[in-house]
Amino acid sequence: GTYTPEAYRFLEEVASVLRVYHILMWANHARRFRILLTDRGFARMVTRGMMSIHEKETMEMQMGLTKTERHYVLLEWVIYKCHQAQKKGILEGGAGLEH
């Protein structure tokens, strides 16, 4: 089968955010990638097209989180997007997407 245009956009968005999450998670755990957690690292990821300015600003606005915790915001965003996609019928199934 094929994906609807709306489903394809959803999958592309989620994949992009999860790639950034993965990068930031490793930056948190591996000292050699720690530069990515800095303002300079975030700015560079925006200029390289890895994350949007909106994503960068949203993570920076999380005052209660340290720089090493900001990537969790991305996981919350993915959960929210999946929930919204279920409501709109883009994703089918229950909480575990069972059939």
Side-chain angles (χ1 to χ4, degrees):
T2 60
Y3 296 113
T4 64
E6 192 174 32
Y8 187 80
R9 278 191 304 277
F10 165 77
L11 291 171
E12 287 292 319
E13 258 185 272
V14 168
S16 176
V17 170
L18 288 176
R19 279 190 291 274
V20 174
Y21 168 80
H22 193 232
I23 289 165
L24 295 177
M25 185 272 305
W26 277 109
N28 184 39
H29 293 291
R31 227 180 231 145
R32 69 188 214 183
F33 301 125
R34 205 51 62 91
I35 185 87
L36 295 172
L37 299 176
T38 66
D39 294 336
R40 187 172 135 205
F42 270 41
R44 182 72 172 145
M45 285 189 277
V46 169
T47 61
R48 298 273 312 208
M50 298 172 72
M51 79 168 78
S52 70
I53 291 173
H54 175 72
E55 291 163 345
K56 174 186 175 288
E57 290 171 350
T58 299
M59 284 190 283
E60 290 173 342
M61 288 180 1
Q62 305 307 311
M63 298 299 191
L65 299 177
T66 66
K67 289 185 179 192
T68 59
E69 297 172 325
R70 289 180 181 171
H71 61 285
Y72 295 123
V73 173
L74 297 172
L75 283 184
E76 290 177 17
W77 182 87
V78 168
I79 292 166
Y80 172 79
K81 285 303 232 180
C82 288
H83 181 69
Q84 292 300 311
Q86 280 183 299
K87 280 183 167 180
K88 293 178 183 176
I90 297 169
L91 288 178
E92 295 178 1
L97 300 178
E98 58 275 330
H99 276 278

XYZ file of all heavy atoms in Angstrom:
817
model
N 0.814 -1.187 0.000
C 0.000 0.000 0.000
C 0.859 1.253 0.000
O 2.080 1.197 0.053
N 0.178 2.347 -0.041
C 0.860 3.638 0.002
C 0.326 4.457 1.172
O -0.742 4.176 1.711
C 0.638 4.426 -1.306
O -0.763 4.636 -1.466
C 1.182 3.673 -2.497
N 1.076 5.457 1.541
C 0.664 6.360 2.606
C -0.111 7.528 2.017
O 0.181 7.970 0.908
C 1.880 6.917 3.349
C 2.683 5.867 4.069
C 3.972 5.556 3.663
C 2.155 5.198 5.160
C 4.716 4.593 4.338
C 2.889 4.236 5.838
C 4.170 3.946 5.416
O 4.901 3.002 6.083
N -1.056 8.033 2.778
C -1.723 9.265 2.368
C -0.710 10.398 2.514
O 0.264 10.274 3.281
C -2.945 9.565 3.255
O -2.493 9.801 4.591
C -3.963 8.435 3.218
N -0.904 11.510 1.811
C 0.024 12.637 1.973
C 0.131 13.096 3.432
O 1.225 13.413 3.905
C -0.585 13.726 1.092
C -1.342 12.973 0.048
C -1.891 11.760 0.755
N -0.979 13.092 4.153
C -0.975 13.506 5.554
C -0.154 12.521 6.409
O 0.619 12.929 7.274
C -2.405 13.605 6.064
C -2.539 14.288 7.391
C -4.000 14.489 7.771
O -4.849 13.665 7.400
O -4.275 15.486 8.458
N -0.310 11.234 6.158
C 0.447 10.219 6.896
C 1.931 10.316 6.575
O 2.781 10.192 7.467
C -0.075 8.825 6.566
N 2.261 10.560 5.321
C 3.658 10.691 4.920
C 4.311 11.880 5.625
O 5.425 11.774 6.135
C 3.763 10.823 3.393
C 5.181 10.799 2.908
C 5.859 9.590 2.775
C 5.843 11.980 2.611
C 7.171 9.567 2.344
C 7.161 11.966 2.178
C 7.821 10.755 2.046
O 9.126 10.738 1.631
N 3.609 13.021 5.674
C 4.126 14.214 6.375
C 4.339 13.909 7.858
O 5.358 14.295 8.440
C 3.185 15.403 6.211
C 3.355 16.151 4.909
C 2.587 17.467 4.902
N 1.158 17.313 5.176
C 0.246 16.992 4.278
N 0.601 16.781 3.030
N -1.030 16.882 4.610
N 3.370 13.214 8.455
C 3.483 12.834 9.859
C 4.736 11.986 10.089
O 5.525 12.251 11.000
C 2.225 12.071 10.304
C 2.396 11.335 11.597
C 2.365 12.008 12.804
C 2.588 9.960 11.601
C 2.533 11.320 14.001
C 2.753 9.270 12.785
C 2.729 9.955 13.982
N 4.935 10.966 9.267
C 6.088 10.078 9.416
C 7.401 10.824 9.223
O 8.375 10.600 9.954
C 5.988 8.909 8.442
C 4.884 7.899 8.731
C 4.760 6.910 7.575
C 5.139 7.187 10.044
N 7.448 11.720 8.247
C 8.662 12.506 8.006
C 8.979 13.415 9.194
O 10.136 13.524 9.600
C 8.517 13.342 6.724
C 8.597 12.522 5.457
C 9.979 11.949 5.219
O 10.977 12.652 5.453
O 10.050 10.775 4.805
N 7.948 14.055 9.739
C 8.134 14.942 10.896
C 8.645 14.174 12.104
O 9.595 14.595 12.763
C 6.802 15.591 11.278
C 6.629 17.004 10.822
C 5.323 17.565 11.372
O 4.290 17.386 10.714
O 5.364 18.171 12.459
N 8.003 13.058 12.398
C 8.390 12.259 13.561
C 9.807 11.719 13.374
O 10.624 11.750 14.304
C 7.374 11.132 13.823
C 7.901 10.123 14.832
C 6.063 11.724 14.318
N 10.134 11.240 12.200
C 11.482 10.719 11.935
C 12.531 11.808 12.125
O 13.587 11.566 12.726
C 11.557 10.139 10.521
N 12.256 12.997 11.651
C 13.193 14.110 11.787
C 13.433 14.453 13.255
O 14.575 14.617 13.689
C 12.648 15.336 11.046
O 13.491 16.444 11.250
N 12.365 14.534 14.024
C 12.488 14.863 15.448
C 13.218 13.754 16.194
O 14.063 14.019 17.054
C 11.101 15.141 16.066
C 11.177 15.230 17.575
C 10.528 16.419 15.497
N 12.949 12.499 15.858
C 13.625 11.398 16.541
C 15.115 11.348 16.195
O 15.935 10.959 17.034
C 12.950 10.069 16.217
C 11.586 9.883 16.877
C 10.939 8.574 16.419
C 11.675 9.939 18.392
N 15.480 11.776 14.988
C 16.909 11.860 14.648
C 17.606 12.877 15.543
O 18.691 12.631 16.068
C 17.096 12.212 13.172
C 16.963 11.036 12.244
C 17.393 11.364 10.823
N 16.495 12.279 10.148
C 15.412 11.914 9.485
N 15.079 10.641 9.393
N 14.653 12.807 8.894
N 16.979 14.047 15.729
C 17.563 15.079 16.591
C 17.609 14.578 18.033
O 18.604 14.772 18.738
C 16.793 16.411 16.490
C 17.318 17.415 17.503
C 16.880 16.972 15.080
N 16.544 13.909 18.480
C 16.547 13.343 19.829
C 17.745 12.407 20.007
O 18.462 12.472 21.004
C 15.243 12.569 20.108
C 15.359 11.745 21.362
C 15.211 12.333 22.611
C 15.679 10.394 21.298
C 15.375 11.587 23.767
C 15.843 9.647 22.445
C 15.689 10.246 23.678
O 15.864 9.516 24.813
N 17.949 11.536 19.047
C 19.040 10.560 19.127
C 20.394 11.267 19.204
O 21.259 10.894 20.011
C 18.963 9.634 17.908
C 19.824 8.434 18.032
N 20.721 8.071 17.068
C 19.933 7.502 19.009
C 21.350 6.970 17.438
N 20.892 6.609 18.617
N 20.586 12.287 18.391
C 21.837 13.050 18.411
C 22.049 13.686 19.784
O 23.137 13.601 20.364
C 21.819 14.134 17.314
C 21.929 13.487 15.935
C 22.926 15.164 17.527
C 21.579 14.401 14.786
N 21.001 14.327 20.313
C 21.135 15.011 21.599
C 21.285 14.024 22.754
O 21.978 14.315 23.740
C 19.952 15.942 21.824
C 19.857 17.113 20.840
C 18.618 17.934 21.114
C 21.106 17.974 20.890
N 20.667 12.875 22.648
C 20.823 11.852 23.678
C 22.276 11.409 23.741
O 22.869 11.315 24.811
C 19.896 10.664 23.381
C 19.883 9.588 24.457
S 21.137 8.286 24.308
C 20.861 7.653 22.688
N 22.901 11.174 22.579
C 24.309 10.790 22.567
C 25.200 11.936 23.017
O 26.224 11.706 23.675
C 24.725 10.254 21.204
C 24.359 8.815 21.067
C 23.380 8.292 20.279
C 24.906 7.730 21.791
N 23.285 6.936 20.467
C 24.217 6.561 21.394
C 25.910 7.609 22.753
C 24.510 5.306 21.909
C 26.189 6.351 23.274
C 25.504 5.225 22.850
N 24.833 13.149 22.697
C 25.608 14.306 23.169
C 25.583 14.368 24.693
O 26.549 14.793 25.326
C 25.053 15.593 22.570
N 24.493 13.937 25.275
C 24.360 13.903 26.727
C 25.232 12.817 27.350
O 25.748 12.984 28.445
C 22.892 13.680 27.092
C 22.653 13.719 28.574
O 23.234 14.518 29.289
N 21.790 12.848 29.052
N 25.425 11.711 26.651
C 26.143 10.561 27.217
C 27.601 10.447 26.789
O 28.358 9.722 27.438
C 25.411 9.265 26.869
C 24.076 9.165 27.543
N 23.927 8.991 28.889
C 22.825 9.245 27.046
C 22.654 8.960 29.205
N 21.955 9.109 28.092
N 27.982 11.107 25.730
C 29.362 11.000 25.241
C 30.011 12.386 25.247
O 29.545 13.293 24.564
C 29.377 10.411 23.833
N 31.060 12.520 26.022
C 31.704 13.823 26.185
C 32.120 14.470 24.861
O 32.030 15.679 24.714
C 32.932 13.650 27.068
C 33.001 14.656 28.125
C 34.204 14.497 29.007
N 33.692 14.511 30.357
C 34.168 13.817 31.341
N 35.199 13.036 31.163
N 33.637 13.901 32.519
N 32.548 13.661 23.933
C 33.035 14.237 22.673
C 31.936 14.903 21.850
O 32.219 15.669 20.940
C 33.788 13.204 21.851
C 32.930 12.108 21.296
C 33.810 11.069 20.682
N 33.164 10.487 19.525
C 33.683 9.520 18.834
N 34.860 9.036 19.155
N 33.045 9.023 17.806
N 30.673 14.607 22.137
C 29.556 15.233 21.430
C 28.871 16.312 22.266
O 27.881 16.890 21.848
C 28.518 14.185 21.015
C 29.052 13.113 20.120
C 28.907 11.778 20.469
C 29.707 13.429 18.944
C 29.395 10.779 19.642
C 30.206 12.434 18.119
C 30.052 11.100 18.472
N 29.385 16.592 23.439
C 28.756 17.529 24.380
C 28.577 18.925 23.787
O 27.659 19.637 24.156
C 29.625 17.569 25.624
C 29.107 17.928 26.957
C 27.905 17.307 27.566
N 27.803 15.925 27.872
C 28.113 15.349 29.010
N 28.629 16.039 29.987
N 27.900 14.066 29.193
N 29.429 19.332 22.856
C 29.316 20.652 22.214
C 27.940 20.858 21.592
O 27.440 21.970 21.500
C 30.424 20.864 21.154
C 30.397 22.280 20.578
C 30.282 19.887 20.000
C 31.176 23.263 21.348
N 27.303 19.763 21.187
C 25.987 19.869 20.551
C 24.912 20.361 21.515
O 23.866 20.840 21.084
C 25.579 18.530 19.946
C 26.463 18.044 18.798
C 26.088 16.632 18.400
C 26.384 18.987 17.622
N 25.164 20.263 22.811
C 24.188 20.703 23.802
C 24.287 22.200 24.102
O 23.463 22.745 24.821
C 24.368 19.920 25.109
C 24.178 18.411 25.007
C 24.471 17.753 26.346
C 22.776 18.073 24.535
N 25.284 22.859 23.546
C 25.484 24.290 23.789
C 24.644 25.122 22.825
O 24.115 24.604 21.824
C 26.965 24.668 23.609
O 27.317 24.491 22.225
C 27.874 23.821 24.495
N 24.550 26.408 23.109
C 23.827 27.313 22.205
C 24.454 27.281 20.810
O 23.745 27.297 19.809
C 23.848 28.742 22.756
C 23.059 28.868 24.054
O 22.158 28.031 24.297
O 23.351 29.794 24.823
N 25.769 27.224 20.769
C 26.475 27.162 19.484
C 26.131 25.877 18.733
O 25.905 25.889 17.514
C 27.974 27.248 19.740
C 28.792 27.366 18.498
C 30.237 27.634 18.863
N 31.079 26.783 18.067
C 32.279 26.398 18.384
N 32.821 26.778 19.516
N 32.963 25.627 17.593
N 26.052 24.767 19.454
C 25.702 23.494 18.836
C 24.277 23.498 18.297
O 24.018 23.030 17.190
N 23.356 24.063 19.084
C 21.959 24.154 18.638
C 21.853 25.029 17.393
O 21.157 24.679 16.435
C 21.085 24.730 19.752
C 20.503 23.709 20.676
C 21.248 22.628 21.123
C 19.200 23.822 21.114
C 20.714 21.693 21.979
C 18.639 22.890 21.977
C 19.403 21.818 22.415
N 22.553 26.169 17.409
C 22.512 27.080 16.259
C 23.048 26.384 15.003
O 22.493 26.542 13.913
C 23.314 28.342 16.558
N 24.096 25.613 15.172
C 24.682 24.907 14.036
C 23.718 23.848 13.484
O 23.598 23.678 12.270
C 26.002 24.250 14.462
C 26.701 23.531 13.355
C 27.290 24.496 12.375
N 28.114 23.754 11.439
C 28.248 24.053 10.174
N 27.656 25.119 9.690
N 28.993 23.337 9.394
N 23.009 23.156 14.371
C 22.043 22.164 13.897
C 20.903 22.827 13.130
O 20.387 22.252 12.173
C 21.518 21.329 15.070
C 22.532 20.310 15.552
S 21.862 19.139 16.742
C 21.989 20.096 18.243
N 20.548 24.048 13.517
C 19.513 24.788 12.774
C 20.037 25.158 11.396
O 19.353 24.941 10.388
C 19.046 26.039 13.555
C 18.186 26.937 12.676
C 18.282 25.633 14.805
N 21.248 25.710 11.320
C 21.785 26.112 10.013
C 22.007 24.925 9.091
O 21.929 25.062 7.878
C 23.106 26.907 10.143
O 24.088 26.100 10.772
C 22.901 28.195 10.917
N 22.248 23.749 9.665
C 22.428 22.534 8.858
C 21.099 21.877 8.488
O 21.074 20.875 7.787
C 23.289 21.513 9.614
C 24.698 21.960 9.948
C 25.646 21.702 8.880
N 25.502 20.341 8.391
C 26.454 19.650 7.854
N 27.633 20.169 7.730
N 26.227 18.441 7.397
N 19.989 22.427 8.993
C 18.677 21.891 8.662
C 18.290 20.662 9.471
O 17.343 19.962 9.130
N 19.002 20.402 10.555
C 18.714 19.228 11.370
C 17.531 19.460 12.301
O 16.852 18.514 12.679
C 19.950 18.831 12.167
C 21.113 18.440 11.282
S 22.625 18.197 12.203
C 22.251 16.675 13.024
N 17.339 20.708 12.702
C 16.184 21.061 13.516
C 15.702 22.432 13.095
O 16.457 23.217 12.527
C 16.502 21.010 15.023
C 17.249 22.189 15.578
S 17.292 22.263 17.382
C 18.534 21.087 17.766
N 14.442 22.689 13.346
C 13.878 23.988 12.977
C 14.168 25.010 14.073
O 14.493 24.644 15.210
C 12.366 23.869 12.779
O 11.730 23.654 14.025
N 14.047 26.259 13.728
C 14.208 27.325 14.717
C 13.164 27.153 15.814
O 13.461 27.337 17.001
C 14.090 28.712 14.043
C 15.309 28.946 13.152
C 13.962 29.817 15.085
C 15.239 30.181 12.307
N 11.947 26.768 15.423
C 10.881 26.556 16.407
C 11.258 25.460 17.406
O 11.061 25.620 18.617
C 9.576 26.206 15.697
C 8.467 25.870 16.631
N 7.844 26.828 17.401
C 7.886 24.694 16.935
C 6.922 26.235 18.146
N 6.929 24.940 17.870
N 11.819 24.355 16.930
C 12.242 23.278 17.831
C 13.344 23.765 18.777
O 13.308 23.492 19.975
C 12.723 22.067 17.030
C 11.615 21.357 16.299
C 12.105 20.432 15.209
O 13.282 20.518 14.793
O 11.292 19.606 14.754
N 14.298 24.492 18.221
C 15.403 25.037 19.028
C 14.858 25.956 20.116
O 15.208 25.829 21.296
C 16.370 25.794 18.122
C 17.477 26.535 18.846
C 18.289 27.357 17.845
C 19.327 28.226 18.478
N 18.781 29.375 19.193
N 14.001 26.885 19.729
C 13.455 27.844 20.690
C 12.599 27.153 21.748
O 12.630 27.535 22.919
C 12.656 28.926 19.966
C 13.532 29.859 19.162
C 12.749 30.812 18.272
O 11.518 30.637 18.125
O 13.382 31.733 17.722
N 11.840 26.144 21.347
C 11.006 25.417 22.299
C 11.868 24.717 23.345
O 11.576 24.773 24.539
C 10.121 24.388 21.570
O 9.273 25.086 20.654
C 9.266 23.603 22.542
N 12.947 24.097 22.916
C 13.825 23.423 23.879
C 14.533 24.425 24.783
O 14.718 24.174 25.966
C 14.832 22.535 23.158
C 14.205 21.256 22.650
S 15.406 20.073 22.056
C 15.801 20.782 20.470
N 14.903 25.580 24.239
C 15.589 26.597 25.038
C 14.663 27.248 26.060
O 15.121 27.745 27.078
C 16.195 27.667 24.129
C 17.372 27.161 23.333
C 17.878 28.154 22.308
O 17.156 29.104 21.946
O 19.014 27.972 21.860
N 13.359 27.239 25.802
C 12.395 27.865 26.715
C 12.109 26.999 27.940
O 11.469 27.467 28.880
C 11.073 28.152 25.990
C 11.173 29.276 25.011
S 9.649 29.675 24.094
C 8.417 28.574 24.660
N 12.552 25.776 27.955
C 12.277 24.856 29.061
C 13.180 25.197 30.238
O 14.215 24.596 30.453
C 12.455 23.409 28.621
C 11.659 23.014 27.415
C 10.180 23.327 27.544
O 9.551 23.005 28.544
N 9.624 23.970 26.548
N 12.776 26.195 31.015
C 13.594 26.719 32.103
C 13.888 25.681 33.192
O 14.919 25.720 33.815
C 12.917 27.934 32.746
C 12.730 29.080 31.803
S 14.326 29.635 31.195
C 13.849 31.137 30.398
N 12.977 24.765 33.432
C 13.172 23.785 34.493
C 14.104 22.646 34.111
O 14.421 21.803 34.945
N 14.561 22.619 32.865
C 15.411 21.529 32.387
C 16.846 22.007 32.197
O 17.078 23.127 31.751
C 14.893 20.982 31.055
C 13.495 20.383 31.060
C 13.107 19.967 29.653
C 13.405 19.209 32.006
N 17.784 21.142 32.504
C 19.175 21.453 32.215
C 19.429 21.205 30.729
O 18.602 20.579 30.043
C 20.127 20.557 33.041
O 19.965 19.205 32.609
C 19.849 20.685 34.531
N 20.571 21.648 30.259
C 20.903 21.415 28.842
C 20.980 19.929 28.519
O 20.735 19.530 27.393
C 22.213 22.116 28.487
C 22.078 23.606 28.437
C 23.342 24.280 27.975
C 23.103 25.782 27.941
N 24.154 26.498 27.264
N 21.298 19.125 29.514
C 21.394 17.684 29.281
C 20.036 16.989 29.347
O 19.947 15.784 29.101
C 22.351 17.015 30.293
O 21.867 17.256 31.618
C 23.760 17.543 30.138
N 18.982 17.727 29.667
C 17.638 17.156 29.731
C 16.715 17.667 28.628
O 15.611 17.166 28.466
C 16.992 17.483 31.086
C 17.697 16.887 32.267
C 17.151 17.399 33.591
O 16.758 18.581 33.682
O 17.120 16.599 34.529
N 17.153 18.645 27.878
C 16.284 19.281 26.873
C 15.743 18.328 25.830
O 14.650 18.510 25.316
C 17.022 20.407 26.158
C 17.263 21.618 26.989
C 17.998 22.636 26.167
N 18.277 23.830 26.926
C 19.063 24.791 26.495
N 19.656 24.683 25.318
N 19.272 25.851 27.229
N 16.501 17.298 25.496
C 16.064 16.387 24.435
C 14.790 15.643 24.803
O 14.076 15.176 23.923
C 17.184 15.425 24.050
C 17.672 14.543 25.155
N 18.476 15.012 26.164
C 17.454 13.239 25.405
C 18.745 14.019 26.990
N 18.135 12.935 26.551
N 14.463 15.564 26.086
C 13.219 14.894 26.483
C 11.987 15.624 25.961
O 10.937 15.013 25.761
C 13.147 14.728 27.998
C 14.216 13.796 28.527
C 15.122 14.228 29.486
C 14.315 12.490 28.050
C 16.104 13.373 29.960
C 15.306 11.641 28.524
C 16.187 12.083 29.481
O 17.167 11.243 29.946
N 12.115 16.920 25.723
C 11.012 17.694 25.150
C 10.626 17.109 23.791
O 9.441 17.060 23.438
C 11.399 19.183 25.016
C 10.352 19.969 24.264
C 11.657 19.788 26.392
N 11.610 16.645 23.045
C 11.343 16.068 21.726
C 10.522 14.787 21.832
O 9.627 14.547 21.016
C 12.654 15.815 20.977
C 13.470 17.068 20.678
C 14.833 16.690 20.119
C 12.729 17.986 19.731
N 10.799 13.978 22.832
C 10.006 12.758 23.018
C 8.568 13.102 23.386
O 7.628 12.458 22.897
C 10.614 11.871 24.105
C 11.842 11.075 23.716
C 12.271 10.181 24.876
C 11.603 10.245 22.477
N 8.395 14.106 24.218
C 7.041 14.540 24.562
C 6.303 15.016 23.318
O 5.119 14.739 23.139
C 7.091 15.651 25.604
C 7.545 15.186 26.958
C 7.650 16.305 27.971
O 7.084 17.391 27.739
O 8.297 16.086 29.003
N 7.017 15.721 22.447
C 6.415 16.208 21.211
C 5.972 15.040 20.336
O 4.872 15.053 19.768
C 7.410 17.093 20.460
C 6.865 17.662 19.205
C 6.167 18.815 19.059
C 6.952 17.086 17.893
N 5.817 18.993 17.742
C 6.285 17.944 17.007
C 7.527 15.925 17.389
C 6.182 17.677 15.655
C 7.427 15.663 16.038
C 6.759 16.539 15.189
N 6.795 13.990 20.230
C 6.445 12.818 19.409
C 5.211 12.125 19.983
O 4.304 11.750 19.228
C 7.641 11.841 19.291
C 7.205 10.504 18.700
C 8.742 12.462 18.448
N 5.157 11.985 21.297
C 3.986 11.359 21.923
C 2.737 12.181 21.627
O 1.684 11.632 21.267
C 4.207 11.200 23.439
C 5.296 10.158 23.693
C 2.905 10.815 24.150
C 5.828 10.142 25.101
N 2.848 13.492 21.751
C 1.710 14.381 21.451
C 1.275 14.233 19.993
O 0.091 14.105 19.696
C 2.086 15.834 21.758
C 1.058 16.821 21.297
C -0.103 17.035 22.034
C 1.233 17.537 20.113
C -1.067 17.928 21.612
C 0.279 18.436 19.683
C -0.870 18.632 20.432
O -1.821 19.517 19.999
N 2.251 14.236 19.068
C 1.931 14.112 17.640
C 1.271 12.765 17.328
O 0.349 12.702 16.512
C 3.185 14.282 16.782
C 3.659 15.708 16.672
C 2.579 16.583 16.113
C 3.030 17.383 14.956
N 2.006 18.237 14.401
N 1.723 11.702 17.975
C 1.105 10.386 17.769
C -0.331 10.388 18.279
O -1.232 9.858 17.620
C 1.913 9.294 18.467
S 3.479 8.919 17.657
N -0.546 10.997 19.420
C -1.895 11.086 19.972
C -2.812 11.870 19.022
O -3.946 11.451 18.746
C -1.853 11.741 21.352
C -3.189 11.855 22.014
N -3.886 10.762 22.465
C -3.951 12.932 22.271
C -5.028 11.168 22.977
N -5.105 12.476 22.875
N -2.318 12.993 18.512
C -3.097 13.800 17.574
C -3.363 13.031 16.279
O -4.454 13.124 15.711
C -2.377 15.122 17.267
C -2.303 16.065 18.447
C -3.675 16.453 18.943
O -4.541 16.832 18.188
N -3.875 16.344 20.247
N -2.377 12.281 15.809
C -2.541 11.495 14.580
C -3.594 10.411 14.775
O -4.351 10.103 13.847
C -1.202 10.887 14.159
N -3.683 9.840 15.963
C -4.734 8.863 16.242
C -6.110 9.525 16.202
O -7.038 8.980 15.625
C -4.524 8.216 17.613
C -3.499 7.118 17.608
C -3.393 6.489 18.968
O -3.049 7.150 19.940
N -3.666 5.209 19.034
N -6.212 10.697 16.809
C -7.491 11.419 16.815
C -7.956 11.745 15.401
O -9.151 11.701 15.111
C -7.368 12.719 17.608
C -7.439 12.565 19.088
C -7.389 13.946 19.715
C -7.768 13.923 21.162
N -7.718 15.272 21.752
N -7.006 12.079 14.524
C -7.336 12.461 13.147
C -7.488 11.245 12.227
O -7.832 11.397 11.061
C -6.251 13.368 12.579
C -6.169 14.720 13.244
C -5.029 15.533 12.644
C -4.879 16.869 13.330
N -3.710 17.613 12.808
N -7.194 10.060 12.727
C -7.304 8.859 11.908
C -6.082 8.577 11.050
O -6.119 7.715 10.173
N -5.000 9.304 11.280
C -3.760 9.057 10.531
C -3.119 7.766 11.020
O -2.623 6.961 10.236
C -2.787 10.248 10.680
C -3.403 11.506 10.069
C -1.444 9.945 10.026
C -2.649 12.774 10.382
N -3.138 7.562 12.344
C -2.686 6.321 12.959
C -3.918 5.579 13.454
O -4.818 6.198 14.023
C -1.767 6.597 14.154
C -0.376 7.124 13.884
C 0.358 7.367 15.200
C 0.423 6.160 13.027
N -3.936 4.296 13.252
C -5.068 3.498 13.700
C -4.635 2.578 14.830
O -3.482 2.184 14.904
C -5.609 2.657 12.539
C -6.181 3.481 11.423
C -6.667 2.625 10.272
O -6.566 1.384 10.354
O -7.133 3.194 9.283
N -5.570 2.238 15.702
C -5.298 1.317 16.784
C -5.408 1.994 18.132
O -5.718 3.177 18.229
N -5.128 1.239 19.185
C -5.188 1.762 20.536
C -3.877 2.367 20.970
O -3.048 2.738 20.152
N -3.695 2.406 22.292
C -2.488 3.024 22.845
C -1.213 2.339 22.350
O -0.199 2.985 22.161
C -2.544 2.988 24.368
N -1.289 1.036 22.129
C -0.155 0.285 21.582
C -0.270 0.102 20.078
O 0.470 -0.662 19.478
N -1.210 0.817 19.457
C -1.495 0.735 18.016
C -1.834 -0.684 17.568
O -1.553 -1.084 16.450
C -0.346 1.307 17.193
C -0.016 2.778 17.460
C 1.175 3.209 16.625
C -1.204 3.676 17.203
N -2.447 -1.450 18.493
C -2.853 -2.818 18.152
C -4.002 -2.811 17.155
O -4.725 -1.838 17.026
C -3.254 -3.587 19.412
C -4.381 -2.968 20.201
C -3.947 -1.883 21.182
O -2.840 -1.930 21.694
O -4.751 -0.978 21.393
N -4.161 -3.904 16.467
C -5.265 -4.050 15.516
C -6.265 -5.034 16.021
O -6.042 -6.038 16.500
C -4.763 -4.504 14.142
C -4.290 -3.364 13.324
N -5.120 -2.554 12.610
C -3.047 -2.880 13.122
C -4.420 -1.620 11.983
N -3.151 -1.816 12.283
